[in-house]
């Protein structure tokens, strides 16, 4: 790899679950609507927690030893809710969320199983504004759950006429975010989230293909919103993937297409009982831009959601600023 590639890898591609704050709020507060809905729709008292849906994309697999810091402003606007059949829930249901996430990562020179030991910490800050057809409205600001991760980053290797690079990280969300059982709108999850992933990039000349595959497991919230009238709830398990491809149109500038797909694979549970027809799904698609050089890079990506089930449906726009604090040759 060239020095330019090494520096670039130090930046925007070494991210674990950046900017999850937007969907931390967006998914948790949808339950407010269903709390006042007919009993047959009360499944949405449980929602999947925030996960990385499209926040990582172009050249995601690249990284080398060093310290990195990133700031990730993001906005999410949803103008409708979808039921288990994909139909729009009647009435005006509007959600606007702004967030920024600070991400600090370190990749050491210590090798295990051929990869460099790596670690990271992410802290989101969120501002949520909610208006629902049933008259519920609320605005909440605060910190979302702290994310801590560790794993391995492998050095680039030549395969055919291209370069392949990959990474495995085991991420855990600690229940440290803003939360109260007397408030229907919360930013923190109030339960532990385990969300490991495997990311890779294959790059040949100016063209690259990247993907990140995650599996989500959630513990039980034994202190849910009191207004729901339930003892505990546990979100189901889910698989989600980010994928992207880009082309270097000129030195330091890439244009491309990115997307994500989430599919819940086990039903939610309330008071230990499985809730039928509660599987969530969404697909996001859109364009992206990446530009910069030396030790500073910028990323702008957007997504429009489609094929949504049991979730809010909207548009997300992410802007990532990546800075290498120090680098190391290897």
């Amino acid at each position: 790899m060239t020095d330019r590639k090494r520096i670039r890898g130090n930046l925007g591609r070494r991210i674990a679950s950046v900017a999850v704050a937007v969907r931390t709020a967006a998914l948790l507060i949808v339950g407010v609507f269903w709390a006042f809905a007919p009993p047959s729709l009360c499944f949405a008292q449980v929602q999947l927690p925030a996960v990385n849906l499209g926040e990582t994309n172009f050249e995601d697999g690249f990284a080398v030893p060093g310290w990195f810091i990133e700031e990730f402003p993001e906005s999410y606007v949803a103008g409708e809710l979808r039921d288990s059949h994909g139909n729009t829930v009647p009435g005006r249901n509007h959600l606007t969320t702004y967030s920024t996430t600070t991400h600090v990562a370190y990749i050491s020179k210590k090798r295990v199983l051929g990869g460099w030991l790596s670690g990271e910490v992410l802290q989101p800050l969120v501002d949520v504004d909610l208006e629902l057809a049933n008259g519920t409205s609320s605005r909440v600001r605060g910190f979302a759950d702290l994310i801590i991760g560790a794993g391995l980053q492998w050095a680039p290797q030549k395969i055919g006429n291209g370069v392949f690079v990959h990474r495995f990280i085991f991420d855990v969300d600690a229940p440290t975010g803003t939360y109260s059982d007397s408030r229907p709108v919360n930013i923190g999850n109030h339960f532990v989230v385990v969300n490991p992933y495997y990311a890779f990039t294959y790059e040949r000349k100016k063209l690259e293909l990247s993907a990140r595959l995650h599996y989500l497991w959630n513990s039980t919230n034994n202190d849910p919103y009191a207004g729901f009238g339930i003892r505990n709830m546990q979100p189901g398990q889910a698989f989600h993937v980010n994928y992207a491809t880009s082309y270097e149109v000129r030195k330091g500038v890439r244009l491309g297409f990115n997307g994500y797909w989430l599919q819940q694979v086990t039903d939610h549970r309330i008071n230990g009982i499985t809730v039928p027809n509660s599987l969530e799904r969404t697909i996001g698609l859109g364009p992206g831009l990446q530009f910069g050089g030396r030790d500073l890079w910028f990323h702008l990506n957007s997504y429009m959601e489609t094929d949504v089930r049991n979730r809010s449906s909207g548009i997300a726009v992410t802007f990532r600023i990546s800075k290498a604090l120090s680098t190391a040759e290897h």
Side-chain angles (χ1 to χ4, degrees):
M1 300 289 291
T2 65
D3 289 340
R4 181 171 66 88
K5 286 281 190 181
R6 290 172 180 168
I7 294 174
R8 188 170 62 192
N10 281 346
L11 306 171
R13 276 70 69 189
R14 177 60 190 95
I15 309 168
S17 297
V18 183
V20 297
V22 167
R23 291 178 177 82
T24 298
L27 299 184
L28 290 178
I29 63 182
V30 171
V32 177
F33 175 85
W34 300 109
F36 299 96
S40 62
L41 298 178
C42 71
F43 66 83
Q45 293 172 0
V46 189
Q47 290 286 303
L48 290 179
V51 293
N52 178 352
L53 295 179
E55 281 86 13
T56 53
N57 32 68
F58 302 148
E59 299 184 301
D60 187 22
F62 283 106
V64 295
W67 281 96
F68 324 102
I69 184 169
E70 298 184 308
E71 196 65 29
F72 203 124
E74 182 173 8
S75 66
Y76 178 78
V77 178
E80 58 185 15
L81 302 176
R82 297 294 182 92
D83 63 17
S84 60
H85 301 290
N87 299 319
T88 301
V89 176
R92 174 179 168 79
N93 301 292
H94 192 268
L95 168 67
T96 302
T97 307
Y98 300 102
S99 74
T100 185
T101 299
T102 301
H103 172 224
V104 178
Y106 178 71
I107 301 177
S108 74
K109 291 184 177 180
K110 176 67 175 179
R111 288 185 181 267
V112 175
L113 300 176
W116 296 304
L117 280 176
S118 307
E120 67 181 358
V121 177
L122 300 98
Q123 180 59 70
L125 178 64
V126 187
D127 184 330
V128 178
D129 191 2
L130 174 71
E131 295 181 23
L132 296 179
N134 60 18
T136 301
S137 64
S138 182
R139 186 172 185 180
V140 181
R141 298 175 181 173
F143 288 104
D145 292 348
L146 181 70
I147 302 169
I148 302 173
L152 298 173
Q153 169 72 51
W154 285 271
Q157 55 184 305
K158 190 171 181 60
I159 296 180
N161 294 321
V163 173
F164 179 78
V165 60
H166 58 137
R167 172 175 65 257
F168 174 79
I169 296 290
F170 193 91
D171 274 335
V172 176
D173 296 22
T176 60
T178 303
Y179 185 87
S180 172
D181 66 354
S182 63
R183 183 174 56 227
V185 178
N186 277 294
I187 294 174
N189 291 314
H190 203 57
F191 54 85
V192 175
V193 176
V194 179
N195 196 204
Y197 77 82
Y198 173 74
F200 69 87
T201 293
Y202 183 75
E203 186 167 287
R204 181 177 178 180
K205 297 181 179 179
K206 295 185 177 183
L207 183 66
E208 64 90 16
L209 173 66
S210 298
R212 181 182 292 209
L213 296 85
H214 313 242
Y215 195 83
L216 174 70
W217 178 87
N218 308 288
S219 66
T220 302
N221 182 352
N222 291 307
D223 192 21
Y225 169 53
F228 287 156
I230 59 178
R231 297 188 307 274
N232 58 65
M233 59 185 184
Q234 182 180 23
Q237 300 175 41
F239 171 82
H240 58 108
V241 58
N242 296 340
Y243 48 90
T245 184
S246 68
Y247 185 82
E248 189 176 32
V249 295
R250 57 177 298 179
K251 185 177 180 180
V253 179
R254 283 187 171 273
L255 291 176
F257 177 84
N258 38 240
Y260 57 79
W261 169 54
L262 175 142
Q263 177 62 62
Q264 186 175 335
V265 295
T266 66
D267 286 313
H268 297 314
R269 299 176 69 86
I270 294 178
N271 296 335
I273 300 174
T274 297
V275 182
N277 302 316
S278 60
L279 300 184
E280 298 181 32
R281 182 170 75 219
T282 189
I283 294 174
L285 303 169
L289 169 68
Q290 172 184 295
F291 63 94
R294 296 183 63 83
D295 60 352
L296 183 64
W297 285 80
F298 303 90
H299 312 257
L300 180 63
N301 304 85
S302 63
Y303 303 88
M304 177 174 290
E305 293 183 318
T306 184
D307 198 26
V308 178
R309 300 289 188 275
N310 291 326
R311 296 168 59 95
S312 60
S313 178
I315 297 174
V317 177
T318 64
F319 179 66
R320 184 167 77 246
I321 305 170
S322 306
K323 172 72 175 177
L325 298 181
S326 65
T327 57
E329 295 295 329
H330 63 288

